[in-house]
Amino acid sequence: MSKLRIAVQKSGRLNDDSMRILKNIGISIENGKDQLKASARNFPLEVFYLRNGDIPQYLRDGVVDVAIIGENVLIEKGNDIDFVERLGFSKCKVSIAVPKESKANTLKDLDGKRIATSYPETVKKYLKEYNIDAQLHTISGSVEIAPNIGLADGICDIVSSGSTLFKNGLKEIEVLFKSEAVLAVSPLISEERRAILEKIQFRIQSVLKGQNSKYILLNAPNDKLENILKLLPGMRSPTVLPLAEEGWSSVHTVISKNAFWEIIDELKANGAEGILVCPIEKMVL
């Protein structure tokens, strides 16, 4: 049987998160230190540990079938490659920043100026879209230092927490786009391997739905049950069970973690008691 070949970043945070999601979907990887390729013990999968910037070309050539890669890298080096799933981790922005003392506050202020970046194709396309003529300096590594050494008037780089910009005396003036890890697919993937990919996608979707949801249990007075149920959209509808105490019911359902506090406040206002909220490991629909 064919094995699906998946590329992940060789080292760094994206590697850690990639291996974590494979573990969360039940795939055990036999990888030793410094291995460039490893096989799964319990799934038809081979993992290739590659440099992040090389992955788009490996996908394009069909050397690997799929990859967990930052959307920002895909936009820069693989905008002809499709992805099938957003993975919800390694979130960041690709932003333009300038020194705090700079008079530049908008993208237009960089017209005729110098911008240092590790994403020249992305920046070139963005500047062209807004009719900005700037000189680009392509740098690998610590882009943030470029304005301090007089190489550039501004930079374009990924921004996560913003702490690196702050430490280097920079301020963000433009966000090109937001990025996160995605599951990208080679245009040359075979039908047999695509069938394996679909199984992985199903598992990933179950994990992501679980991470974005909370399981909630509460006690509700029957005379206010109708109002409480209106606040609780479940997968189909909430489960309602009678309690030993007359006039009360136990309600079980799933809610979005993003709406958690708003719903809790409304439930309490409508007489709900004993509210218990639990994380969900996986949710299969």
Side-chain angles (χ1 to χ4, degrees), residues 7 9 14 51-61 64-87 90 92 94 118-123 125 158 177-187:
Q9 187 182 48
L14 188 54
R51 285 181 64 250
N52 215 26
D54 294 338
I55 290 176
Q57 191 60 49
Y58 280 103
L59 285 166
R60 195 176 286 116
D61 294 340
V64 295
D65 305 302
V66 295
I68 297 176
I69 187 171
E71 188 179 1
N72 55 301
V73 178
L74 211 56
I75 289 172
E76 172 67 21
K77 295 189 172 184
N79 57 15
D80 56 326
I81 297 168
D82 294 329
F83 66 85
V84 294
E85 206 73 52
R86 292 185 179 276
L87 300 176
S90 293
C92 63
V94 174
S118 299
Y119 300 93
E121 295 304 317
T122 301
V123 179
K125 182 179 178 182
I158 58 171
F177 58 86
K178 293 181 179 180
S179 172
E180 64 184 279
V182 296
L183 188 63
V185 183
S186 167

Side-chain angles (χ1 to χ4, degrees), residues 1 7 61 84 107 143 152 171 181 231 257 264:
M1 182 180 180
D61 294 340
V84 294
L107 184 64
V143 176
K171 62 181 180 181
L231 299 171
K257 72 174 185 180
I264 293 296

Side-chain angles (χ1 to χ4, degrees), residues 64-206:
V64 295
D65 305 302
V66 295
I68 297 176
I69 187 171
E71 188 179 1
N72 55 301
V73 178
L74 211 56
I75 289 172
E76 172 67 21
K77 295 189 172 184
N79 57 15
D80 56 326
I81 297 168
D82 294 329
F83 66 85
V84 294
E85 206 73 52
R86 292 185 179 276
L87 300 176
F89 56 81
S90 293
K91 292 186 176 182
C92 63
K93 298 177 290 184
V94 174
S95 301
I96 290 176
V98 297
K100 287 180 180 177
E101 65 275 8
S102 171
K103 294 180 181 178
N105 291 304
T106 68
L107 184 64
K108 284 186 178 180
D109 294 332
L110 290 178
D111 195 31
K113 304 294 185 180
R114 301 162 300 162
I115 300 174
T117 185
S118 299
Y119 300 93
E121 295 304 317
T122 301
V123 179
K124 194 185 301 178
K125 182 179 178 182
Y126 193 83
L127 294 179
K128 184 178 180 182
E129 185 180 343
Y130 288 92
N131 230 7
I132 305 296
D133 182 21
Q135 182 183 352
L136 297 187
H137 290 279
T138 303
I139 296 178
S140 297
S142 301
V143 176
E144 295 85 2
I145 198 173
N148 294 328
I149 60 174
L151 182 63
D153 302 293
I155 67 162
C156 183
D157 201 14
I158 58 171
V159 177
S160 297
S161 65
S163 62
T164 303
L165 293 184
F166 179 79
K167 289 174 184 175
N168 286 276
L170 300 172
K171 62 181 180 181
E172 181 182 80
I173 62 168
E174 184 86 8
V175 177
L176 279 63
F177 58 86
K178 293 181 179 180
S179 172
E180 64 184 279
V182 296
L183 188 63
V185 183
S186 167
L188 302 179
I189 188 172
S190 69
E191 287 303 313
E192 186 178 7
R193 286 172 174 159
R194 187 173 286 278
I196 301 171
L197 170 60
E198 287 172 0
K199 292 180 180 179
I200 284 183
Q201 271 187 266
F202 173 77
R203 294 188 185 190
I204 288 175
Q205 288 165 3
S206 298

Side-chain angles (χ1 to χ4, degrees), residues 228-242:
I228 287 174
L229 293 180
K230 287 178 182 177
L231 299 171
L232 293 172
M235 289 180 284
R236 287 189 183 274
S237 64
T239 300
V240 180
L241 301 169

Side-chain angles (χ1 to χ4, degrees), residues 234-252:
M235 289 180 284
R236 287 189 183 274
S237 64
T239 300
V240 180
L241 301 169
L243 287 179
E245 184 178 344
E246 191 174 340
W248 285 79
S249 295
S250 175
V251 180
H252 302 215

